[in-house]
Amino acid sequence: TVVLDQAAEIDCDRWPEVPGECHVVMPRINRFMVFPGELRHGCMPVDDFRAPRWVILFNFWQSHVPSAPSCKVPDFTSYNPVSAWAVTLKYYLLPDTLRALA
């Protein structure tokens, strides 16, 4: 993922006109990054690796909220891991275990 120090805002298509810095985060299993969404960002191939790379994107809106289907309110009634191979699965507590701890 590449993040530039150039913002896209309602008042201005790009500021500054030419970016002065670029930050690159190389792909690695379970790596994540956080940055302000108004900064220009994107992905590009960096090696000959051809297997699919999956990205999970979370947007947090403070003022403008896109309408459905572009923006969907998540269902927080279940906190199941995304997949059985998630590293975080070892921290997942089953409902019976949670009730026993309460």
Side-chain angles (χ1 to χ4, degrees):
T1 302
V2 176
V3 181
L4 304 175
D5 67 341
Q6 183 182 57
E9 299 176 353
I10 293 173
D11 302 338
C12 183
D13 180 44
R14 57 186 174 270
W15 183 90
E17 187 68 29
V18 176
E21 285 187 17
C22 170
H23 300 275
V24 178
V25 176
M26 301 299 288
R28 190 174 83 194
I29 292 173
N30 294 318
R31 175 173 279 170
F32 72 94
M33 67 181 297
V34 177
F35 60 91
E38 67 270 9
L39 294 178
R40 300 281 181 168
H41 58 279
C43 298
M44 63 184 153
V46 294
D47 53 28
D48 293 331
F49 192 72
R50 295 291 176 227
R53 289 183 173 134
W54 300 96
V55 174
I56 299 174
L57 173 67
F58 293 93
N59 287 322
F60 296 94
W61 303 93
Q62 289 183 332
S63 55
H64 167 74
V65 179
S67 59
S70 299
C71 188
K72 223 175 134 179
V73 176
D75 178 9
F76 291 112
T77 58
S78 172
Y79 184 65
N80 293 328
V82 173
S83 64
W85 52 266
V87 173
T88 54
L89 180 62
K90 64 184 176 186
Y91 302 110
Y92 181 69
L93 299 176
L94 297 172
D96 292 338
T97 306
L98 288 173
R99 280 191 286 280
L101 293 171

XYZ file of all heavy atoms in Angstrom:
824
model
N 0.847 -1.177 0.000
C 0.000 0.000 0.000
C 0.889 1.235 0.000
O 1.869 1.295 0.724
C -0.921 0.017 1.230
O -1.715 -1.171 1.213
C -1.830 1.227 1.226
N 0.519 2.194 -0.796
C 1.252 3.452 -0.904
C 0.346 4.571 -0.406
O -0.819 4.647 -0.797
C 1.658 3.722 -2.367
C 2.333 5.065 -2.503
C 2.542 2.617 -2.886
N 0.856 5.421 0.477
C 0.097 6.574 0.976
C 0.916 7.830 0.711
O 2.075 7.916 1.094
C -0.197 6.452 2.492
C -1.001 7.653 2.969
C -0.938 5.157 2.791
N 0.310 8.783 0.016
C 0.971 10.055 -0.295
C 0.576 11.126 0.710
O -0.482 11.037 1.326
C 0.584 10.527 -1.699
C 0.848 9.565 -2.842
C 0.294 10.142 -4.142
C 2.322 9.263 -2.972
N 1.405 12.150 0.836
C 1.045 13.277 1.703
C 0.245 14.309 0.908
O 0.393 15.505 1.069
C 2.279 13.913 2.350
C 3.178 14.608 1.354
O 3.084 14.315 0.144
O 3.979 15.467 1.772
N -0.641 13.821 0.070
C -1.502 14.670 -0.756
C -2.953 14.331 -0.408
O -3.335 13.158 -0.449
C -1.235 14.402 -2.236
C -2.030 15.285 -3.166
C -1.747 14.933 -4.619
O -1.929 13.800 -5.024
N -1.281 15.907 -5.374
N -3.724 15.320 -0.053
C -5.102 15.097 0.365
C -6.077 15.424 -0.748
O -5.812 16.262 -1.603
C -5.415 15.946 1.587
N -7.201 14.747 -0.731
C -8.327 15.053 -1.599
C -9.441 15.561 -0.691
O -9.856 14.863 0.226
C -8.775 13.812 -2.354
N -9.876 16.773 -0.912
C -10.901 17.373 -0.066
C -12.032 17.914 -0.919
O -11.906 18.032 -2.136
C -10.287 18.490 0.777
C -9.192 18.013 1.708
C -8.536 19.154 2.460
O -8.835 20.321 2.175
O -7.714 18.864 3.342
N -13.115 18.270 -0.285
C -14.263 18.826 -1.000
C -13.890 20.127 -1.691
O -14.257 20.374 -2.829
C -15.446 19.040 -0.023
C -15.965 17.684 0.464
C -16.558 19.828 -0.693
C -17.016 17.782 1.546
N -13.105 20.972 -1.002
C -12.750 22.287 -1.537
C -11.644 22.238 -2.587
O -11.510 23.146 -3.393
C -12.285 23.214 -0.404
C -13.354 23.370 0.661
O -14.535 23.132 0.360
O -13.002 23.723 1.793
N -10.830 21.179 -2.555
C -9.651 21.131 -3.416
C -9.439 19.705 -3.914
O -9.448 18.770 -3.119
C -8.435 21.617 -2.628
S -6.926 21.676 -3.594
N -9.241 19.553 -5.229
C -9.046 18.231 -5.812
C -7.792 17.556 -5.280
O -7.770 16.364 -5.037
C -8.986 18.345 -7.339
C -8.795 17.004 -8.004
O -9.464 16.041 -7.592
O -7.972 16.918 -8.935
N -6.725 18.322 -5.103
C -5.492 17.780 -4.536
C -4.696 18.899 -3.879
O -4.561 19.991 -4.422
C -4.664 17.056 -5.578
C -4.298 17.876 -6.769
C -3.594 17.004 -7.816
N -3.370 17.756 -9.020
C -4.213 17.840 -10.033
N -5.359 17.197 -9.974
N -3.947 18.546 -11.096
N -4.202 18.575 -2.688
C -3.393 19.527 -1.959
C -2.334 18.774 -1.187
O -2.682 17.831 -0.459
C -4.261 20.327 -0.986
C -3.458 21.356 -0.277
C -3.237 22.631 -0.683
C -2.737 21.194 0.946
N -2.422 23.269 0.210
C -2.092 22.407 1.224
C -2.547 20.139 1.824
C -1.295 22.594 2.343
C -1.745 20.318 2.940
C -1.137 21.545 3.192
N -1.076 19.070 -1.322
C -0.491 20.045 -2.248
C -0.590 19.571 -3.701
O -0.938 18.425 -3.955
C 0.977 20.114 -1.799
C 1.244 18.783 -1.185
C -0.054 18.355 -0.551
N -0.293 20.440 -4.612
C -0.390 20.124 -6.038
C 0.455 18.892 -6.388
O 0.028 18.027 -7.126
C 0.058 21.330 -6.875
C -0.163 21.182 -8.369
C -1.626 21.179 -8.784
O -2.458 21.804 -8.087
O -1.938 20.560 -9.817
N 1.663 18.829 -5.840
C 2.565 17.686 -6.056
C 2.933 17.120 -4.686
O 3.372 17.860 -3.809
C 3.849 18.123 -6.810
C 4.818 16.957 -6.946
C 3.498 18.707 -8.168
N 2.738 15.804 -4.466
C 3.076 15.239 -3.162
C 4.572 15.345 -2.862
O 5.394 15.261 -3.766
C 2.649 13.775 -3.266
C 2.277 13.532 -4.671
C 2.215 14.829 -5.394
N 4.906 15.548 -1.589
C 6.298 15.659 -1.183
C 6.828 14.396 -0.531
O 8.027 14.175 -0.478
N 5.931 13.546 -0.009
C 6.336 12.318 0.657
C 5.445 11.169 0.231
O 4.297 11.364 -0.148
C 6.233 12.454 2.177
C 7.305 13.277 2.809
C 7.239 13.220 4.327
O 6.583 12.301 4.873
O 7.836 14.088 4.960
N 6.013 9.971 0.328
C 5.280 8.749 0.018
C 5.672 7.709 1.062
O 6.858 7.540 1.348
C 5.653 8.279 -1.386
S 5.044 6.639 -1.769
N 4.703 7.058 1.644
C 4.961 5.996 2.619
C 4.487 4.679 2.017
O 3.393 4.598 1.467
C 4.224 6.273 3.928
C 4.634 7.563 4.547
N 5.725 7.678 5.368
C 4.114 8.818 4.432
C 5.862 8.935 5.747
N 4.894 9.643 5.194
N 5.325 3.652 2.104
C 5.024 2.341 1.531
C 4.994 1.311 2.650
O 5.898 1.259 3.476
C 6.082 1.942 0.480
C 5.798 0.558 -0.078
C 6.138 2.969 -0.637
N 3.938 0.508 2.674
C 3.833 -0.597 3.612
C 3.755 -1.874 2.780
O 2.819 -2.062 2.013
C 2.591 -0.453 4.522
C 2.449 -1.654 5.433
C 2.677 0.827 5.330
N 4.768 -2.711 2.937
C 4.847 -3.942 2.154
C 3.865 -4.979 2.696
O 3.613 -5.040 3.904
C 6.271 -4.500 2.196
C 7.304 -3.540 1.647
S 7.041 -3.120 -0.080
C 7.512 -4.652 -0.842
N 3.306 -5.826 1.802
C 2.359 -6.850 2.260
C 3.038 -7.928 3.093
O 4.169 -8.321 2.823
C 1.823 -7.439 0.948
C 2.798 -7.064 -0.099
C 3.503 -5.833 0.363
N 2.355 -8.343 4.142
C 2.795 -9.439 4.997
C 1.562 -9.967 5.716
O 0.665 -9.188 6.061
C 3.828 -8.949 6.004
C 4.501 -10.102 6.760
C 5.612 -9.623 7.632
N 5.021 -9.168 8.884
C 5.661 -8.447 9.786
N 6.885 -8.053 9.564
N 5.069 -8.089 10.895
N 1.499 -11.245 5.979
C 0.334 -11.837 6.642
C 0.070 -11.123 7.966
O 0.982 -10.935 8.769
C 0.539 -13.353 6.861
C 0.546 -14.071 5.506
C -0.526 -13.934 7.773
C 0.896 -15.539 5.583
N -1.183 -10.733 8.154
C -1.686 -10.066 9.359
C -1.091 -8.692 9.622
O -1.189 -8.176 10.725
C -1.512 -10.957 10.596
C -2.364 -12.182 10.495
O -3.519 -12.105 10.079
N -1.810 -13.322 10.817
N -0.493 -8.074 8.650
C -0.004 -6.702 8.807
C -1.189 -5.764 8.548
O -2.038 -6.026 7.709
C 1.104 -6.415 7.805
C 1.567 -4.958 7.855
C 2.769 -4.744 6.982
N 3.935 -5.189 7.736
C 5.135 -5.324 7.218
N 5.346 -5.065 5.961
N 6.140 -5.729 7.969
N -1.238 -4.664 9.268
C -2.275 -3.668 9.022
C -1.670 -2.283 9.097
O -0.569 -2.091 9.594
C -3.446 -3.811 10.012
C -3.113 -3.377 11.402
C -3.392 -2.088 11.816
C -2.525 -4.254 12.295
C -3.095 -1.670 13.109
C -2.220 -3.863 13.585
C -2.499 -2.566 13.985
N -2.411 -1.328 8.589
C -1.980 0.065 8.667
C -3.201 0.938 8.858
O -4.315 0.569 8.512
C -1.205 0.478 7.413
C -2.037 0.520 6.156
S -1.130 0.987 4.679
C -0.619 2.629 5.064
N -2.979 2.098 9.443
C -4.045 3.070 9.681
C -3.542 4.410 9.187
O -2.398 4.785 9.440
C -4.372 3.156 11.194
C -5.426 4.206 11.456
C -4.794 1.796 11.736
N -4.382 5.117 8.441
C -4.020 6.442 7.947
C -5.294 7.219 7.666
O -6.362 6.628 7.471
C -3.144 6.345 6.684
C -3.811 5.631 5.540
C -4.546 6.332 4.592
C -3.704 4.264 5.403
C -5.160 5.681 3.541
C -4.311 3.599 4.354
C -5.037 4.313 3.420
N -5.217 8.555 7.638
C -6.396 9.367 7.319
C -6.865 9.077 5.891
O -6.065 9.113 4.946
C -5.902 10.806 7.452
C -4.668 10.725 8.279
C -4.063 9.389 7.993
N -8.126 8.763 5.733
C -8.669 8.370 4.441
C -8.646 9.434 3.370
O -8.768 9.126 2.185
N -8.492 10.715 3.756
C -8.458 11.758 2.730
C -7.115 11.802 1.996
O -6.976 12.455 0.975
C -8.786 13.141 3.307
C -7.763 13.703 4.257
C -8.031 13.329 5.702
O -8.919 12.501 5.959
O -7.345 13.878 6.573
N -6.108 11.092 2.528
C -4.818 11.046 1.841
C -4.909 10.120 0.627
O -5.566 9.084 0.673
C -3.716 10.542 2.772
C -3.376 11.443 3.947
C -2.302 10.801 4.800
C -2.922 12.816 3.471
N -4.263 10.507 -0.452
C -4.237 9.668 -1.654
C -3.521 8.368 -1.321
O -2.461 8.367 -0.703
C -3.502 10.373 -2.792
C -4.110 11.676 -3.213
C -5.291 11.434 -4.087
N -5.824 12.738 -4.494
C -6.705 12.883 -5.432
N -7.159 11.846 -6.085
N -7.164 14.073 -5.726
N -4.119 7.238 -1.723
C -3.536 5.940 -1.410
C -3.930 4.919 -2.468
O -4.874 5.119 -3.219
C -3.979 5.470 -0.017
C -5.465 5.370 0.121
N -6.257 6.468 0.380
C -6.304 4.321 0.037
C -7.524 6.097 0.459
N -7.572 4.792 0.244
N -3.157 3.847 -2.530
C -3.438 2.796 -3.493
C -2.477 1.635 -3.322
O -1.617 1.642 -2.447
N -2.642 0.631 -4.174
C -1.803 -0.566 -4.128
C -1.179 -0.798 -5.493
O -1.718 -0.378 -6.511
C -2.631 -1.785 -3.759
S -3.368 -1.683 -2.144
N -0.042 -1.486 -5.483
C 0.619 -1.844 -6.734
C 1.407 -3.122 -6.514
O 1.802 -3.425 -5.389
C 1.509 -0.716 -7.200
C 2.634 -0.385 -6.281
S 3.512 1.028 -6.931
C 4.167 1.685 -5.431
N 1.633 -3.897 -7.570
C 2.428 -5.123 -7.406
C 3.871 -4.767 -7.073
O 4.418 -3.802 -7.600
C 2.308 -5.807 -8.767
C 1.907 -4.742 -9.716
C 1.173 -3.704 -8.942
N 4.467 -5.554 -6.180
C 5.847 -5.280 -5.770
C 6.773 -6.466 -6.022
O 7.965 -6.364 -5.784
C 5.914 -4.877 -4.286
C 5.226 -3.553 -4.053
C 5.330 -5.966 -3.407
N 6.207 -7.595 -6.479
C 7.016 -8.776 -6.740
C 6.288 -9.661 -7.751
O 5.291 -9.251 -8.330
C 7.308 -9.537 -5.443
C 6.037 -9.852 -4.656
O 4.960 -9.985 -5.278
O 6.124 -9.968 -3.435
N 6.760 -10.869 -7.939
C 6.146 -11.799 -8.894
C 5.101 -12.690 -8.250
O 4.617 -13.623 -8.867
C 7.233 -12.671 -9.543
C 8.151 -11.847 -10.435
O 7.683 -10.827 -10.977
O 9.334 -12.224 -10.574
N 4.746 -12.413 -7.009
C 3.743 -13.191 -6.284
C 2.398 -13.048 -6.984
O 1.892 -11.931 -7.135
C 3.673 -12.697 -4.839
C 2.896 -13.584 -3.920
C 3.390 -14.815 -3.520
C 1.668 -13.178 -3.435
C 2.681 -15.621 -2.665
C 0.944 -13.981 -2.579
C 1.455 -15.213 -2.191
N 1.793 -14.142 -7.426
C 0.557 -14.079 -8.213
C -0.692 -14.522 -7.446
O -1.786 -14.378 -7.951
C 0.699 -14.940 -9.471
C 1.747 -14.413 -10.418
C 1.284 -13.112 -11.040
N 2.327 -12.552 -11.875
C 2.703 -11.296 -11.840
N 2.134 -10.456 -11.018
N 3.642 -10.858 -12.643
N -0.524 -15.072 -6.246
C -1.698 -15.485 -5.470
C -2.482 -14.246 -5.049
O -1.913 -13.167 -4.888
C -1.251 -16.272 -4.240
N -3.800 -14.384 -4.881
C -4.603 -13.226 -4.468
C -4.171 -12.694 -3.104
O -3.803 -13.459 -2.216
C -6.034 -13.783 -4.382
C -6.015 -15.054 -5.128
C -4.616 -15.585 -5.079
N -4.186 -11.381 -2.972
C -3.963 -10.730 -1.688
C -5.285 -10.105 -1.280
O -5.888 -9.359 -2.040
C -2.878 -9.660 -1.802
C -1.515 -10.255 -1.988
C -0.448 -9.168 -2.018
N 0.870 -9.775 -2.039
C 1.843 -9.391 -2.843
N 1.655 -8.393 -3.677
N 2.996 -9.995 -2.808
N -5.725 -10.416 -0.087
C -7.016 -9.932 0.385
C -6.823 -8.717 1.279
O -5.924 -8.663 2.097
C -7.749 -11.036 1.143
C -7.986 -12.224 0.270
C -7.217 -13.355 0.188
C -9.034 -12.381 -0.676
N -7.730 -14.204 -0.748
C -8.846 -13.633 -1.301
C -10.102 -11.597 -1.071
C -9.699 -14.115 -2.275
C -10.946 -12.074 -2.047
C -10.748 -13.316 -2.634
N -7.713 -7.756 1.128
C -7.663 -6.530 1.914
C -9.011 -6.345 2.591
O -10.060 -6.517 1.976
C -7.368 -5.308 1.007
C -7.448 -4.026 1.795
C -6.019 -5.460 0.337
N -8.977 -6.013 3.867
C -10.198 -5.661 4.592
C -10.110 -4.171 4.878
O -9.151 -3.702 5.477
C -10.327 -6.455 5.899
C -10.394 -7.945 5.602
C -11.554 -5.989 6.670
C -10.370 -8.815 6.831
N -11.102 -3.444 4.442
C -11.094 -1.996 4.557
C -12.193 -1.544 5.515
O -13.341 -1.965 5.391
C -11.317 -1.374 3.175
C -11.495 0.125 3.105
C -10.203 0.821 3.492
C -11.921 0.527 1.711
N -11.821 -0.713 6.462
C -12.785 -0.110 7.382
C -12.716 1.401 7.217
O -11.638 1.984 7.327
C -12.452 -0.455 8.847
C -12.616 -1.895 9.174
C -11.537 -2.761 9.089
C -13.843 -2.391 9.555
C -11.678 -4.105 9.396
C -13.993 -3.736 9.864
C -12.913 -4.589 9.777
N -13.840 2.018 6.939
C -13.908 3.478 6.844
C -14.697 4.011 8.027
O -15.740 3.464 8.382
C -14.611 3.914 5.557
C -13.758 3.695 4.342
O -12.555 3.895 4.376
N -14.369 3.271 3.249
N -14.197 5.076 8.624
C -14.895 5.751 9.703
C -15.195 7.168 9.233
O -14.274 7.940 8.978
C -14.043 5.773 10.985
C -13.785 4.405 11.520
C -12.633 3.726 11.180
C -14.709 3.785 12.346
C -12.388 2.446 11.668
C -14.475 2.519 12.835
C -13.319 1.850 12.491
N -16.463 7.497 9.100
C -16.876 8.790 8.568
C -17.248 9.719 9.705
O -17.983 9.344 10.603
C -18.070 8.613 7.636
C -17.792 7.667 6.515
C -18.055 6.320 6.481
C -17.184 7.968 5.270
N -17.648 5.787 5.302
C -17.105 6.770 4.536
C -16.689 9.136 4.706
C -16.563 6.720 3.258
C -16.150 9.068 3.437
C -16.094 7.876 2.728
N -16.756 10.964 9.651
C -17.108 11.947 10.672
C -18.231 12.869 10.220
O -19.040 13.302 11.016
C -15.886 12.787 11.034
C -14.865 11.997 11.815
C -13.694 12.866 12.228
O -13.371 13.844 11.561
N -13.058 12.507 13.313
N -18.272 13.193 8.947
C -19.310 14.113 8.487
C -20.111 13.507 7.339
O -21.284 13.224 7.477
C -18.692 15.451 8.062
O -17.684 15.231 7.088
N -19.486 13.254 6.211
C -20.166 12.693 5.045
C -20.282 11.179 5.193
O -19.313 10.504 5.498
C -19.376 13.027 3.768
C -19.817 12.240 2.580
N -20.993 12.494 1.925
C -19.251 11.194 1.955
C -21.120 11.640 0.930
N -20.064 10.842 0.926
N -21.463 10.623 5.006
C -21.655 9.175 5.051
C -22.302 8.736 3.736
O -23.416 9.155 3.433
C -22.559 8.765 6.241
C -22.775 7.260 6.248
C -21.960 9.230 7.544
N -21.606 7.918 2.948
C -22.194 7.436 1.700
C -23.435 6.592 1.976
O -23.546 5.939 3.004
C -21.093 6.583 1.070
C -19.850 6.948 1.776
C -20.247 7.428 3.136
N -24.343 6.581 1.026
C -25.571 5.800 1.187
C -25.328 4.350 0.762
O -24.340 4.022 0.115
C -26.687 6.420 0.353
O -26.303 6.459 -1.008
N -26.247 3.479 1.134
C -26.180 2.067 0.737
C -26.310 1.963 -0.785
O -26.943 2.809 -1.395
C -27.295 1.299 1.427
N -25.735 1.010 -1.430
C -24.990 -0.112 -0.867
C -23.508 0.197 -0.661
O -22.767 -0.669 -0.223
C -25.156 -1.200 -1.920
C -25.191 -0.451 -3.205
C -25.897 0.852 -2.877
N -23.062 1.413 -0.961
C -21.647 1.754 -0.813
C -21.197 1.714 0.643
O -20.059 1.397 0.933
C -21.370 3.142 -1.386
O -21.669 3.166 -2.744
N -22.075 2.056 1.547
C -21.735 2.086 2.969
C -22.808 1.306 3.721
O -23.984 1.611 3.624
C -21.661 3.520 3.469
S -21.021 3.655 5.135
N -22.380 0.287 4.448
C -23.308 -0.566 5.166
C -22.954 -0.577 6.648
O -21.784 -0.710 7.009
C -23.176 -1.986 4.626
C -24.456 -2.691 4.399
C -24.175 -4.021 3.756
C -24.977 -5.057 4.475
N -24.821 -6.382 3.940
N -23.924 -0.447 7.519
C -23.686 -0.514 8.958
C -23.429 -1.979 9.313
O -24.226 -2.846 8.973
C -24.895 0.027 9.748
C -24.685 -0.146 11.236
C -25.140 1.477 9.394
N -22.294 -2.275 9.948
C -21.990 -3.677 10.257
C -22.925 -4.269 11.295
O -23.472 -3.557 12.131
C -20.550 -3.629 10.783
C -20.329 -2.225 11.196
C -21.251 -1.367 10.390
N -23.091 -5.570 11.226
C -23.900 -6.310 12.192
C -22.983 -6.789 13.316
O -22.161 -7.684 13.117
C -24.570 -7.492 11.500
C -25.394 -8.342 12.456
O -25.592 -7.926 13.623
O -25.841 -9.420 12.034
N -23.092 -6.180 14.490
C -22.222 -6.524 15.602
C -22.845 -7.551 16.547
O -22.399 -7.716 17.667
C -21.841 -5.270 16.390
C -20.934 -4.347 15.633
C -21.380 -3.104 15.209
C -19.632 -4.722 15.333
C -20.543 -2.255 14.509
C -18.783 -3.877 14.628
C -19.237 -2.640 14.220
N -23.886 -8.259 16.091
C -24.494 -9.266 16.958
C -23.606 -10.495 17.106
O -23.794 -11.294 18.005
C -25.869 -9.698 16.420
O -25.702 -10.207 15.084
C -26.846 -8.528 16.413
N -22.643 -10.672 16.217
C -21.714 -11.794 16.297
C -20.295 -11.278 16.148
O -20.021 -10.409 15.333
C -22.002 -12.801 15.183
O -20.992 -13.785 15.159
N -19.389 -11.834 16.942
C -17.989 -11.434 16.856
C -17.129 -12.618 16.403
O -16.028 -12.818 16.841
C -17.513 -10.898 18.214
C -16.105 -10.367 18.192
C -15.783 -9.257 17.433
C -15.097 -10.993 18.900
C -14.497 -8.772 17.392
C -13.807 -10.507 18.870
C -13.510 -9.398 18.105
O -12.239 -8.925 18.062
N -17.663 -13.446 15.528
C -16.915 -14.601 15.030
C -15.736 -14.128 14.199
O -15.832 -13.141 13.475
C -17.813 -15.486 14.173
C -18.907 -16.134 14.983
O -18.706 -16.419 16.149
N -20.048 -16.364 14.362
N -14.603 -14.831 14.284
C -13.459 -14.460 13.445
C -13.828 -14.541 11.973
O -14.709 -15.292 11.577
C -12.415 -15.509 13.795
C -12.816 -16.029 15.121
C -14.311 -15.925 15.175
N -13.122 -13.784 11.170
C -13.394 -13.748 9.737
C -13.156 -15.112 9.110
O -13.888 -15.542 8.248
C -12.515 -12.676 9.054
C -12.659 -12.736 7.561
C -12.865 -11.310 9.587
N -12.156 -15.831 9.564
C -11.871 -17.149 9.001
C -11.258 -18.055 10.058
O -10.755 -17.602 11.088
C -10.912 -17.023 7.816
O -9.683 -16.531 8.268
N -11.287 -19.360 9.780
C -10.776 -20.327 10.744
C -9.264 -20.238 10.911
O -8.730 -20.690 11.915
C -11.177 -21.735 10.309
N -8.558 -19.665 9.952
C -7.095 -19.578 10.057
C -6.617 -18.238 10.600
O -5.421 -17.991 10.649
C -6.431 -19.860 8.709
C -6.957 -19.041 7.586
C -7.947 -19.376 6.715
C -6.534 -17.734 7.205
N -8.176 -18.365 5.828
C -7.316 -17.341 6.095
C -5.580 -16.848 7.687
C -7.163 -16.102 5.488
C -5.434 -15.619 7.058
C -6.223 -15.272 5.977
N -7.539 -17.372 11.038
C -7.140 -16.074 11.588
C -6.268 -16.270 12.827
O -6.572 -17.087 13.693
C -8.366 -15.242 11.940
N -5.189 -15.528 12.907
C -4.292 -15.606 14.061
C -5.049 -15.290 15.348
O -4.764 -15.855 16.404
C -3.102 -14.640 13.867
C -2.251 -14.561 15.109
C -2.273 -15.081 12.671
N -6.029 -14.431 15.272
C -6.789 -14.015 16.458
C -7.762 -15.088 16.950
O -8.345 -14.935 18.018
C -7.579 -12.733 16.153
O -8.383 -12.957 14.995
C -6.638 -11.568 15.924
N -7.926 -16.178 16.202
C -8.854 -17.229 16.604
C -8.523 -17.776 17.994
O -9.405 -18.117 18.767
C -8.860 -18.366 15.578
C -9.793 -19.541 15.863
C -11.242 -19.059 15.895
C -9.605 -20.621 14.834
N -7.229 -17.818 18.359
C -6.852 -18.360 19.669
C -7.365 -17.502 20.828
O -7.425 -17.952 21.956
C -5.345 -18.545 19.765
C -4.541 -17.269 19.696
C -3.056 -17.589 19.714
C -2.227 -16.332 19.548
N -0.808 -16.624 19.432
N -7.751 -16.259 20.556
C -8.277 -15.371 21.592
C -9.807 -15.350 21.614
O -10.400 -14.681 22.446
C -7.768 -13.945 21.386
C -6.263 -13.865 21.395
C -5.563 -13.586 20.227
C -5.538 -14.082 22.553
C -4.183 -13.522 20.225
C -4.158 -14.030 22.565
C -3.490 -13.750 21.397
O -2.126 -13.690 21.391
N -10.441 -16.053 20.714
C -11.898 -16.054 20.613
C -12.491 -16.922 21.718
O -12.110 -18.077 21.883
C -12.318 -16.577 19.234
C -13.797 -16.595 19.025
C -14.512 -15.416 18.914
C -14.480 -17.795 18.933
C -15.878 -15.427 18.711
C -15.842 -17.810 18.728
C -16.533 -16.626 18.622
O -17.877 -16.643 18.421
N -13.389 -16.352 22.501
C -14.038 -17.084 23.587
C -15.451 -17.472 23.170
O -16.228 -16.638 22.705
C -14.087 -16.231 24.854
C -12.731 -15.810 25.423
C -12.929 -14.885 26.617
C -11.890 -17.006 25.788
N -15.773 -18.727 23.342
C -17.114 -19.219 23.023
C -18.119 -18.658 24.033
O -17.758 -18.312 25.163
C -17.121 -20.746 23.037
C -16.219 -21.399 21.987
C -16.144 -22.901 22.224
C -16.720 -21.099 20.593
N -19.398 -18.574 23.639
C -20.420 -18.004 24.529
C -20.458 -18.658 25.917
O -20.616 -17.973 26.918
C -21.720 -18.221 23.764
C -21.306 -18.222 22.327
C -19.951 -18.877 22.302
N -20.318 -19.996 26.000
C -20.327 -20.668 27.303
C -19.177 -20.200 28.187
O -19.333 -19.996 29.400
C -20.279 -22.184 27.135
C -21.557 -22.736 26.519
O -22.603 -22.048 26.614
O -21.507 -23.851 25.958
N -18.009 -20.022 27.598
C -16.848 -19.549 28.334
C -17.078 -18.127 28.839
O -16.749 -17.796 29.982
C -15.589 -19.605 27.452
O -15.436 -20.913 26.928
C -14.343 -19.226 28.237
N -17.654 -17.305 27.995
C -17.950 -15.919 28.403
C -18.927 -15.870 29.563
O -18.734 -15.111 30.513
C -18.510 -15.123 27.213
C -17.512 -14.768 26.124
C -18.241 -14.146 24.934
C -16.460 -13.810 26.649
N -19.986 -16.709 29.505
C -20.964 -16.733 30.596
C -20.300 -17.206 31.891
O -20.608 -16.700 32.970
C -22.145 -17.622 30.213
C -23.142 -16.921 29.284
C -24.423 -17.738 29.139
N -24.240 -18.913 28.300
C -24.238 -18.906 26.975
N -24.400 -17.778 26.315
N -24.082 -20.021 26.286
N -19.391 -18.172 31.800
C -18.712 -18.680 33.002
C -17.819 -17.614 33.633
O -17.629 -17.604 34.840
C -17.883 -19.924 32.638
N -17.282 -16.717 32.820
C -16.427 -15.647 33.341
C -17.206 -14.504 33.938
O -16.671 -13.725 34.727
C -15.523 -15.109 32.219
C -14.461 -16.099 31.699
C -13.794 -15.509 30.458
C -13.438 -16.418 32.776
N -18.478 -14.376 33.576
C -19.299 -13.233 34.009
C -19.657 -13.319 35.486
O -19.661 -14.282 36.140
C -20.562 -13.139 33.180
